[in-house]
Amino acid sequence: MQTGNRQVIVCGDRVLIKPDTQEGRTKVGLYLPQTVVEKEPVASGRIVETGPGVMLPNFGSEAGEPWQQRRDSPVRFLPVQAEIGDYALFLKKESVEVRIFDESFLVVPQGALLLVVRDAIP
């Protein structure tokens, strides 16, 4: 995510989510207090940025011991399943709220994602 000359880079197996606005009103029309809305265990939102994933060990060494890393080999990652633009349901207690560019976002680890809804490509 980039704004002007600043870029936000998400690290590891985390995703940056723009949360849905929490509706404090039921379908019947009753207004719920903020404490009730905050107690919901699951939240949802749109994924705006993803990290590269989990770094994998490099076992491609020809010389030396297998646990020694080679300095000239590229870094490899096990990518995150979620993609930018996906709609996600996640465990709210695992998320961390951050303010970036005067907007509120949530940083969520991949393990806290319950499901991801992606538009099908025809």
Side-chain angles (χ1 to χ4, degrees):
M1 184 170 90
Q2 188 167 352
T3 301
N5 61 354
R6 292 186 174 176
Q7 183 178 7
V8 175
I9 299 172
V10 180
C11 301
D13 68 337
R14 295 171 184 87
V15 295
L16 186 68
I17 296 179
K18 178 70 177 164
D20 288 342
T21 55
Q22 294 183 353
E23 186 66 38
R25 197 168 115 176
T26 64
K27 293 179 182 179
V28 185
L30 297 174
Y31 285 95
L32 298 173
Q34 188 65 25
T35 55
V36 172
V37 175
E38 289 176 354
K39 287 183 182 179
E40 290 293 320
V42 176
S44 61
R46 187 72 56 184
I47 296 175
V48 294
E49 194 67 45
T50 64
V54 179
M55 189 182 302
L56 296 174
N58 191 357
F59 295 118
S61 177
E62 295 91 21
E65 300 297 331
W67 59 83
Q68 293 176 333
Q69 290 188 358
R70 292 179 53 182
R71 301 283 181 214
D72 60 342
S73 51
V75 178
R76 299 179 313 153
F77 292 95
L78 180 63
V80 178
Q81 265 186 313
E83 296 176 359
I84 296 173
D86 290 347
Y87 186 79
L89 291 177
F90 56 93
L91 296 172
K92 189 190 285 189
K93 69 177 181 176
E94 299 290 327
S95 65
V96 176
E97 186 173 357
V98 294
R99 295 211 37 96
I100 304 171
F101 309 128
D102 294 329
E103 289 187 67
S104 181
F105 294 95
L106 296 172
V107 178
V108 181
Q110 178 174 266
L113 295 178
L114 299 175
L115 66 93
V116 174
V117 178
R118 184 175 298 149
D119 294 333
I121 299 173

